[in-house]
Amino acid sequence: MIEKDCILKFKKGSSDAFELLYMEYHMKLFNFVMKLTSGNAAVAKDIVQDTFVRLWEARKTVDENRDIRNYIFTIAKNILSNRYSHLVVEYIHKEYVLSDSPVSECTTERVVDGHLLEETLLRVVASMPPVRRRVYSLSRLHGLSHKEIAELLNISTSTVETHLSKADGYVREHLGANNYS
């Protein structure tokens, strides 16, 4: 466990204290992210690296009286959640712009509509509660089964189904309100 004085030194910019934090948590964080990404080592490495970069950038705001481990893992979950949200947007954008159309029919209007859809969908997915957003991404982008998602997130399969049903309805409602249905 990292001592409070180490956190205080880290907040002041000590690279030695940062190295101690890194050595203590990088493998634990990597294993955690591997579980969330269904064993995608490349993504896990990127998330761990980005997490420690963000931790360093936010070092002055770290509360030395709180559990640094939770803080680090929360940063990683947020980074991963944001990446999933962007992947959802990219996927739907590609499907909308390129679906059922020969390349020659991809008009400027259709491209502009696709960009507007992408912006709208990004806002919609980002506004979902964190667990629902994660369930939606794991199911729709990564193709995980309800059972796999339930095990990964330590929730029941019926909770996964409820989150997906609500997420789908939420997306339909918000895209429909913007004339994308």
Side-chain angles (χ1 to χ4, degrees):
M1 183 175 163
I2 300 294
E3 300 293 328
K4 187 175 179 178
D5 63 320
C6 178
I7 304 297
L8 291 170
K9 288 177 185 175
F10 167 67
K11 286 180 70 167
K12 293 178 182 176
S14 167
S15 59
D16 290 337
F18 178 74
E19 187 175 344
L20 284 173
L21 285 170
Y22 180 81
M23 295 308 294
E24 176 71 20
Y25 294 112
H26 83 277
M27 283 308 298
K28 295 172 187 172
L29 186 62
F30 177 79
N31 291 330
F32 173 72
V33 177
M34 283 287 286
K35 289 179 186 174
L36 292 178
T37 61
S38 302
N40 189 328
V43 171
K45 285 178 185 176
D46 286 346
I47 298 294
V48 169
Q49 181 177 355
D50 290 350
T51 298
F52 281 98
V53 167
R54 286 228 186 124
L55 179 64
W56 178 257
E57 291 170 346
R59 68 187 175 279
K60 293 177 182 174
T61 64
V62 173
D63 184 350
E64 65 274 5
N65 296 314
R66 299 192 132 196
D67 184 4
I68 190 73
R69 180 185 184 278
N70 289 341
Y71 186 70
I72 291 170
F73 279 60
T74 299
I75 291 171
K77 286 190 287 187
N78 289 339
I79 291 170
L80 186 61
S81 181
N82 288 339
R83 286 199 184 170
Y84 281 152
S85 294
H86 290 311
L87 288 173
V88 168
V89 170
E90 288 174 16
Y91 173 79
I92 290 180
H93 173 70
K94 287 176 185 173
E95 288 296 311
Y96 177 77
V97 172
L98 302 176
S99 68
D100 300 317
S101 302
V103 175
S104 61
E105 289 182 26
C106 192
T107 64
T108 302
E109 182 179 331
R110 190 163 174 86
V111 171
V112 170
D113 283 347
H115 288 297
L116 292 174
L117 172 63
E118 180 178 347
E119 291 172 13
T120 302
L121 186 62
L122 178 60
R123 284 193 305 273
V124 169
V125 172
S127 68
M128 287 181 188
V131 175
R132 187 172 306 153
R133 182 174 52 234
R134 190 170 315 133
V135 168
Y136 186 81
S137 298
L138 290 170
S139 174
R140 300 302 183 248
L141 292 177
H142 295 283
L144 296 182
S145 70
H146 294 185
K147 183 178 178 184
E148 290 170 321
I149 296 169
E151 289 172 0
L152 186 64
L153 299 180
N154 199 26
I155 57 178
S156 70
T157 54
S158 64
T159 301
V160 170
E161 292 166 1
T162 299
H163 278 298
L164 286 174
S165 175
K166 288 182 178 181
D168 287 340
Y170 189 76
V171 168
R172 274 193 303 274
E173 174 186 335
H174 285 81
L175 291 183
N178 288 287
N179 299 317
Y180 289 111
S181 53

